[in-house]
Amino acid sequence: MSNILHVNLSSIGYLLDVPSTLSKPSKRWHLAFATIYCSRALHSLLNNPLSKNKTRKLLLSAPPFVVLDVEPQSGVLDIDQTSLTSLVKEKNLDQLIQLRGAEGVAEALKSNTKNGINGAVKDVARRKEEFGSNTYQRPPTKSIFHFVAEAFKDLTILVLLACATLSLGFGIKENGAKEGWYDGGSILVAVFLVISVSAVSNFRQNRQFDKLSEVSNNIQVDVVRQGRRQQISIFEIVVGDVVFLKIGDQVPADGLFLDGHSLQVDESSMTGESDYVEVNTSLNPFLFSGTKVADGYAQMLVTSVGMNTTWGEMMSTISLDPNEQTPLQARLDKLTSSIGKVGLAVAFLVLVVLLVRYFTGNTEDGNGNHEFNGSKTKSDGIMNAVVRIIAAAVTIVVVAIPEGLPLAVTLTLAYSMKRMMADQAMVRKLSACETMGSATTICTDKTGTLTLNEMKVTTFWLGQESIEDSSSISTNLLKLIQQGVALNTTGCIYREPSLYKFEFSGSPTEKAILSWAVLELGMDMERVKDNYSILHVEAFNSEKKRSGILIRKKAESTIHVHWKGAAEMILAMCSSYYDASGSMKDMDDGDRMTFEQIIQGMAAGSLRCIAFAHRQIPEEEHEIGEGLEKLKEDSLTLIALVGIKDPCRPGVRKAVEDCQHAGVNVKMITGDNVFTARAIATECGILRPDQSINSGAVVEGEVFRNYTPEERMEKVDKICVMARSSPFDKLLMVQCLKQKGHVVAVTGDGTNDAPALKEADIGLSMGIQGTEVAKESSDIIILDDNFASVATVLRWGRCVYNNIQKFIQFQLTVNVAALVINFVAAASAGEVPLTAVQLLWVNLIMDTLGALALATERPTKDLLAKPPVGRTEPLITNTMWRNLLAQALYQVLVLLILQFNGEYIFGVNKKVKDTLIFNTFVLCQVFNEFNARELERKNVFQGIHKNKLFLGIIGITIVLQVVMVECLKRFADTERLDWVQWGACIGVAAASWPIGWVVKFIPVSEKPFLDYLKW
């Protein structure tokens, strides 16, 4: 018996192994045959008379069921990627009809048009494996060698390398390989060190931009999986997903339109055509990745992702350009160019003086002999001397040109970008970092920025009565309210099958209304939807401030219009109302005034007031319901009023006060009515309690729009709150403020805010509620939608500007001192006290370590105690000129004393004297870095313990300087110094601290310093 069973089971196993090469009909015949064979085999076992008991025992010991997992081996799904890609890319309607429309494609993709894909980890993984992930290949990241090569393109570096190579060749030829490589080799090592540091800095900055690009592209998308609506990363979308789209969204992948209303898509990013394309089920159900939703809402079925989309192919060739030049960098380039010209002039003079002195026999070698003796001097010696002189002159140019300024800007911007990310602000455009420091006006939204965006229905009115108990509402009125809520919404409800727990999704207002209708009014959204078919939808946008829907009741074929939106706008469309008992009454002027007072009362309590209205369309007015394109907007019946509370964010009042204290005006621009706007603005500190609606500080958008241009310009500064504003009003205000010379920052979250965000000097979009269109139009994304983060961005903007000024003061001090000491020494003594290697070391301290130390100072509270920096204010202020000239004068004086009397003062030889000059010069810069921390404040040590990087760099600089002087005698051309000499160098350098303290008592003029030099 067991042999028979074994044979039968073997046969069954063979039969169930469906060959992958068979066609679909053949597979079905194969499986049908297998099923019949299995049933007959099992039947024969049960009816075998020879060993009934054994058979029963065997069968009873087995499980009471058989699980057959029959799965075609050729692939997971019933349609291949090539077909899907060509279907959408070629807009092939015929092929779509053959596949039985979007529903047929969904079925082939093992997806459900309502509930989406299964969403299990294995299911998602299989789809990624079969159809690819929603990512695209990026151009390869620039390697560090690319930046090394870029550094070699600097002309001064190339000249130095040529000089070093010649010096190396002549030195080895003259003194042999053992001794002759030091001069040229030292310059080569120093140059390569400077190049390496520059390349590493640029490489790190480039990597940071790559990371920024990844973060900014990581959009959150609404999908439904296993019947549950949820947000996932755009990179996690797979073929078969059902995605929800609304106004302002970016289409995350190629796909097909499933369901929705009034969907218009901006395909200009793909086609260049500015006209919106209508997408619907019948004529154009195709959606393309990277396009933007301009109007309406929809659900789409994803058919292609990543590199299988046109957008993916296009984006794989585009990379974020980190070389964007900011306005501050452009100004610094001019400054660098001006200083460079002075440096070139000084270097040329030094070159001429040194060459003249050499060829006239006025220079001596280390043994006191004349270096040039006419024809007696060997040509190699002449060439070596000339190369050494040229190298010295070129090195002066290297030190004179403040190459560290662009690096300092890059470092401080990169550092501030990283820190701002931690402070909930993502910078999309570098220029915004520094421009924000100059902002004089911030125009902010209310909802979600000043408020928490956690909305809840707290007040409910039927007719002219406030309703506390929903059980008293009449049945017909309850049905109308439920229709208006359940059908006229872009939100949805998910309920856990096993739990009496609801999840609401959509905008905060939609979630609040849905939550109230379900939990308070007992609404069953699915049942309401099943009883009605939607004929036409007018989606909500920030201009209309309402949404409408045309529906037909399936059982009765009656047609209804429902409107929902801003209470006073819906009220204006009504000619009757339902009272609390459900009876319809005509609305006279007295009733209308009563409703207006109810709305104003709710608004004064900081509530957002939403109204619901309805009208049944007579048959004669609407014989063909599907043909009606415009919903009735008059003779409506008011159903109900609800008040939604959105509390102010904690800490927002303090943030507003900080901005006002910093000389920045905060204006609130909102779509809410004037009473709600005034109440919230007063609560946040934007308005004083004594400022009434008629004081000129509060204005409605329509009123502002209707002012003459002259009136607008006259009144715009006084306006603190603009209520019931449209995106056009916001744009108009920004333009007026800019015309008056303000630097304007604007917050926005809607698609229609894009023009104002682009027009503003700094566009700030909201990371949570902001649409993709708004984010792409902005310069900075506020990740937590919080106004306090806007104040933080303001502080960081000022910090960037302040840090750059600190570094300019520090760098110019070194430039002035180095140029003067080298020129005077060359002109008088025929030699430069600082060698090429020593000057390159000073250059490294200034350009890289100095920039790193001063450019990474964090913002302090004092920054907001100053007024904004104007557009035309000079980069180098009178305060900076005072500080840097005092320090440079002191350094030049000390170094010239050492140059001419150093040997006598310390009783040392020329080599030790030159080392003393070099050591004192470097230590002066180290001590002056502390002075540069504060431009105006006398206490330069305040908060220094918090900046570990600054202290670390100071420590590293001192250690490296000790190594240069004490250990690298041949390389740096130095002599060892004793303790007394080190003490003298430190003492002279430390004197810069008291000098810096005393100098800050000297008052400075308001007129810019350079204006005195103009004729």
Side-chain angles (χ1 to χ4, degrees), residues 704-767:
F704 182 74
R705 198 184 316 144
N706 293 331
Y707 283 151
T708 63
E710 293 76 21
E711 283 178 319
R712 274 199 295 269
M713 293 295 283
E714 181 190 338
K715 296 181 178 183
V716 71
D717 281 333
K718 295 177 187 173
I719 296 169
C720 297
V721 176
M722 185 155 69
R724 281 288 176 246
S725 66
S726 69
F728 175 74
D729 299 328
K730 185 184 278 192
L731 175 63
L732 202 58
M733 176 167 271
V734 171
Q735 289 169 339
C736 286
L737 288 166
K738 284 183 74 176
Q739 285 172 27
K740 292 205 79 173
H742 289 279
V743 179
V744 188
V746 167
T747 71
D749 55 11
T751 303
N752 293 328
D753 288 328
L757 289 167
K758 283 184 176 177
E759 179 70 24
D761 296 288
I762 314 102
L764 304 157
S765 65
M766 300 297 116

Side-chain angles (χ1 to χ4, degrees), residues 252-272:
D254 284 4
L256 298 169
F257 178 91
L258 288 175
D259 187 23
H261 296 279
S262 312
L263 187 67
Q264 291 193 317
V265 177
D266 177 6
E267 293 186 355
S268 58
S269 59
M270 304 289 292
T271 63

